[in-house]
Amino acid sequence: MKILFVCLGNICRSPLAEAIAKEYAKQNNYDIEVDSCGTGSWHIGEAPCLDSQKIAKIKGLDISNYKARQVQKEDFKKFDLIVGLDSKNIASLKSLGCKNPLLIGDFGYEGEDVPDPYFFDGFEGFDKVFEMIETCVKNLIKEKVEK
C-alpha cells in the first residue's frame, strides 16, 4: 500500500501526516510506503516550518530532513491512496486529474477540514492540527490497510 498526503505547501500539515503514518506503520509492522506533497509550488525544496518541526519533536517525531515537493500527475498512478488535508486540496487534486482523492477528515472528524495552522494565533494551532491529523491517519490506516 502506498499513501500520499497532500496539503497546500507541504511545509506544515502533510509532513506531519507523513511522519505520523510512517511511525504508526512502523509500530504495527505494516508494509506501507508514505509520502507527502503540496498542491502549490512556492515551497519546493524547503524544510517543514519551524512550528511543525517543533510539534513533531514534542510528539517524538523528526521531520527536519523532509523537503517540500509539489504533487505530480505521476503520483496518481504511483500511490494507492491520495489523501487531501482539506476540501480545497481535494478540489485542486481533482482539477489535476486525480480520480478519487480522500479527505482526511472523513476518518475521524466527520468530514471536517484539517485547518491550516497558520490561521491560528500562536503555537496552539499546531498542537490542535497535530491531534486531528494523528486521529485521522490512524483511522485511515486501520480502515484501508488493516483490512
Side-chain angles (χ1 to χ4, degrees):
M1 172 77 62
K2 295 178 181 182
I3 305 171
L4 180 66
F5 293 100
V6 184
C7 70
L8 188 59
N10 194 213
I11 60 163
C12 58
R13 295 173 292 169
S14 57
L16 291 173
E18 177 184 351
I20 291 165
K22 284 179 175 176
E23 181 62 23
Y24 188 70
K26 180 180 166 187
Q27 290 172 355
N28 291 283
N29 295 314
Y30 294 135
D31 183 22
I32 62 173
E33 180 181 322
V34 183
D35 197 3
S36 66
C37 61
T39 57
S41 63
W42 49 92
H43 293 296
I44 292 173
E46 292 180 21
C49 70
L50 294 178
D51 282 337
S52 283
Q53 290 185 49
K54 179 180 175 182
I55 191 63
K57 189 172 186 174
I58 289 169
K59 303 291 186 173
L61 303 170
D62 182 6
I63 61 171
S64 62
N65 291 322
Y66 288 20
K67 298 292 180 220
R69 72 175 188 89
Q70 187 174 21
V71 67
Q72 304 295 314
K73 288 189 179 193
E74 302 84 58
D75 290 327
F76 305 150
K77 293 177 184 153
K78 178 180 177 186
F79 290 91
D80 302 301
L81 301 175
I82 311 289
V83 185
L85 277 285
D86 66 34
S87 52
K88 288 181 182 177
N89 304 140
I90 295 294
S92 295
L93 288 165
K94 287 180 178 177
S95 73
L96 291 169
C98 183
K99 300 259 187 272
N100 297 306
L102 303 173
L103 179 65
I104 197 165
D106 286 338
F107 298 90
Y109 276 85
E110 299 177 8
E112 195 176 323
D113 286 345
V114 173
D116 192 322
Y118 283 106
F119 295 109
F120 287 93
D121 286 332
F123 184 72
E124 302 81 43
F126 286 86
D127 195 39
K128 175 179 173 43
V129 163
F130 187 95
E131 288 178 27
M132 290 181 77
I133 293 171
E134 183 176 43
T135 295
C136 293
V137 164
K138 288 178 178 180
N139 288 337
L140 170 79
I141 292 172
K142 285 176 187 173
E143 183 176 319
K144 299 294 184 179
V145 177
E146 289 183 4
K147 285 185 173 181

